[in-house]
Amino acid sequence: MTSVSFDPRGFDAEPDILEPERASILAILALVFGLICFIPLLPLLGIICGIAGLIVINRSRGRLAGTGMAIAGLILGLLFTALQAAIILGMAQAFNMITHQLVKPVDQLIMAIDQKDFATARQALDAHSQTLVTDEAIAKLGDEVRAEMGAFKSIPTSLGDLISAYGEVGQLFQATKNFQGPPQGQNGMMPVPAHFENGTALVLVWFDPPKGGPGTPPGQTPEFTFRNISIITKDQKVFNLIEPTLIQPPTPGVLPSPTPPPPPTTPAPEAPASDAPTPEGEKPAEGGSSGGN
């Protein structure tokens, strides 16, 4: 009977048992990307690295560590990705609201002024400004701007075009430092770039709070009304629809004070009558002259 001897030197130990444990690079990256939440898309990379890190650690048979870091990076990535998505969605909705409810009405107002459509231009103004503006003022503004900038084309509405247009009118903002606009009160002001045939101008629009607001019926959007509009050309010339000094915003709930009546005129003193009584000291003696007796 043949005996078989066992020689343990013929078998090598498992290499993965002898290797020291080390942290997974993917787990470290997942935690780092998850913590850097202020840079867009980095939390999303934290989610990807966290999932990949957990898979690699599970398949390493104990050679890789970092499960906690991978899970933490995955959770942080999910939270901050959801937060960034909510912020981006809110900004997109706000931009869409501003574009449709404010920028497009400004585009229609400038087009009406350029084409001397007095009815449309007046309809865009608030009730107080409608009493101040005249057809001649609308026509004058359209003619002055056409002489400087040519015919009006459009106001950009896409985000890329707006950014590019604001870059073109950047130097025109210097003309607004000492610009005396109308008293704002509760109304706001927004600068908008506008394309004309001869270049891009800067439009300043003063607007009142939108009509309707939260109580607007479903299917209808709040409407902005404008108090005044100013156009700054590429040569930094300023043209106003209404002179700013003429606009006095009414205070809610306060009636305008009446104009005080003129003070009464003081009558001039009358000259004494000829038959007025003579003072006692100058009264002549009775019975004739002083020399007779």
Side-chain angles (χ1 to χ4, degrees):
M1 184 174 181
T2 304
S3 62
V4 179
S5 61
F6 176 76
D7 187 1
R9 293 175 298 177
F11 297 89
D12 295 329
E14 291 288 339
D16 54 351
I17 298 177
L18 298 179
E19 290 183 6
E21 188 180 75
R22 57 186 177 86
S24 172
I25 299 298
L26 289 174
I28 297 174
L29 291 177
L31 183 60
V32 171
F33 290 151
L35 290 174
I36 306 177
C37 58
F38 52 87
I39 300 179
L41 300 181
L42 280 189
L44 182 60
L45 293 178
I47 297 175
I48 298 174
C49 292
I51 296 174
L54 290 175
I55 295 174
V56 172
I57 292 172
N58 185 50
R59 294 180 177 178
S60 67
R61 301 175 63 181
R63 289 178 299 174
L64 297 177
T67 303
M69 290 188 293
I71 294 176
L74 176 60
I75 295 175
L76 291 175
L78 290 172
L79 291 177
F80 289 127
T81 298
L83 179 61
Q84 288 184 359
I87 293 175
I88 294 174
L89 180 60
M91 293 176 62
Q93 291 179 347
F95 179 78
N96 183 67
M97 184 272 294
I98 293 175
T99 299
H100 287 82
Q101 299 181 20
L102 189 57
V103 175
K104 287 188 175 181
V106 174
D107 183 277
Q108 295 173 358
L109 174 58
I110 301 177
M111 182 65 71
I113 294 174
D114 182 72
Q115 297 180 356
K116 299 182 182 180
D117 185 355
F118 304 130
T120 302
R122 286 177 177 277
Q123 189 177 3
L125 302 176
D126 64 2
H128 181 64
S129 297
Q130 288 181 14
T131 61
L132 299 176
V133 72
T134 61
D135 293 350
E136 291 77 11
I138 298 174
K140 179 182 177 183
L141 178 61
D143 293 338
E144 289 175 340
V145 176
R146 264 184 175 264
E148 292 288 333
M149 301 295 298
F152 173 68
K153 296 175 64 177
S154 66
I155 292 179
T157 54
S158 66
L159 182 59
D161 292 341
L162 270 177
I163 294 175
S164 176
Y166 274 116
E168 295 178 17
V169 298
Q171 73 279 2
L172 299 181
F173 280 93
Q174 298 177 0
T176 65
K177 291 182 179 179
N178 299 323
F179 184 78
Q180 183 64 34
Q184 293 189 14
Q186 294 185 357
N187 53 318
M189 188 274 287
M190 184 179 72
V192 181
H195 293 314
F196 291 82
E197 286 182 343
N198 299 335
T200 304
L202 181 63
V203 179
L204 305 180
V205 287
W206 281 264
F207 56 90
D208 290 331
K211 299 178 181 178
T216 305
Q220 298 182 8
T221 56
E223 297 180 358
F224 286 87
T225 55
F226 302 105
R227 184 169 295 273
N228 198 7
I229 181 171
S230 303
I231 300 178
I232 305 177
T233 65
K234 59 183 181 181
D235 295 330
Q236 298 189 3
K237 296 181 180 180
V238 181
F239 300 101
N240 301 308
L241 177 61
I242 306 173
E243 286 301 322
T245 54
L246 299 178
I247 300 180
Q248 298 294 333
T251 303
V254 178
L255 296 176
S257 56
T259 304
T265 305
T266 304
E270 297 181 359
S274 57
D275 56 350
T278 306
E280 186 176 354
E282 299 180 359
K283 190 178 295 184
E286 295 181 358
S289 63
S290 58
N293 189 358

